Amino acid sequence: MSQTGVDFKTAVEQEAARLRLVHPTPDDIPTCINMAELVTSCHAIRSQVKSWYRYGEMTKCGWKHDDFKFCLSMKWMEHDQRYDAWIQRRAEWWAKRRLEKSSEDVWAMRDKPIPNFPPPVTDEEIHNMKKRRAVRCHVTIDSVKLLEMCNLPYSR
């Protein structure tokens, strides 16, 4: 079980169902050419510099290589078998990613909004805000008058 209370098998089933909605037909899954382009772009200077800047290390392209090799290994399969194999592999990848520790673990998904949020604004808070604005405007007007008296340039 993970922090979300879902086991791996259930997570894979959920991800497979989601992927079948996103990619409804076998023609919607990426081709081996697409996978090869992803591998190539991963090794491009732009990707490497971005990774170095963000994470302090080079881009890890191993999983893209693995996807490309997997795609090549599916070439002998029938169209529907290839589709099912790709959906299963991606569902396992997403499930693993979802269940492992992540920087996104600090965020909790809410089912409903927080009650009384944002809190209602009271009349006293409105009055205090108006007073602060009046003071700010008064200071600005006095500053302009001071600049005018000293013949200093200013812009409005």
Side-chain angles (χ1 to χ4, degrees), residues 59-145:
T59 306
K60 294 180 176 82
C61 302
W63 64 273
K64 291 185 182 184
H65 283 279
D66 293 342
D67 280 350
F68 177 62
K69 287 189 274 184
F70 179 74
C71 183
L72 291 176
S73 72
M74 293 191 311
K75 280 303 196 187
W76 62 271
M77 294 179 179
E78 293 294 324
H79 214 52
D80 291 338
Q81 289 176 322
R82 191 178 318 149
Y83 174 73
D84 292 336
W86 186 85
I87 292 288
Q88 183 65 27
R89 180 178 171 87
R90 293 306 290 173
E92 289 172 4
W93 184 84
W94 277 111
K96 206 177 302 175
R97 186 168 178 212
R98 195 171 103 189
L99 298 178
E100 288 178 352
K101 286 205 167 273
S102 166
S103 61
E104 297 174 358
D105 288 344
V106 296
W107 303 105
M109 184 83 136
R110 290 197 180 102
D111 296 336
K112 55 188 174 195
I114 298 173
N116 270 342
F117 188 83
V121 180
T122 63
D123 291 337
E124 183 181 338
E125 290 172 322
I126 292 171
H127 179 69
N128 289 339
M129 191 174 4
K130 285 181 180 178
K131 279 174 47 177
R132 283 193 303 259
R133 280 190 185 160
V135 168
R136 236 181 302 160
C137 291
H138 183 67
V139 169
T140 305
I141 291 169
D142 287 346
S143 302
V144 169
K145 285 181 184 175

Side-chain angles (χ1 to χ4, degrees), residues 47-60:
S47 296
Q48 297 298 327
V49 169
K50 184 169 60 172
S51 178
W52 193 272
Y53 176 77
R54 287 183 180 171
Y55 310 111
E57 59 187 26
M58 302 298 278
T59 306
K60 294 180 176 82

Side-chain angles (χ1 to χ4, degrees), residues 8-24:
F8 184 72
K9 184 179 176 187
T10 305
V12 170
E13 290 169 1
Q14 291 171 347
E15 291 299 332
R18 183 186 66 80
L19 286 168
R20 288 184 195 285
L21 292 174
V22 174
H23 306 284

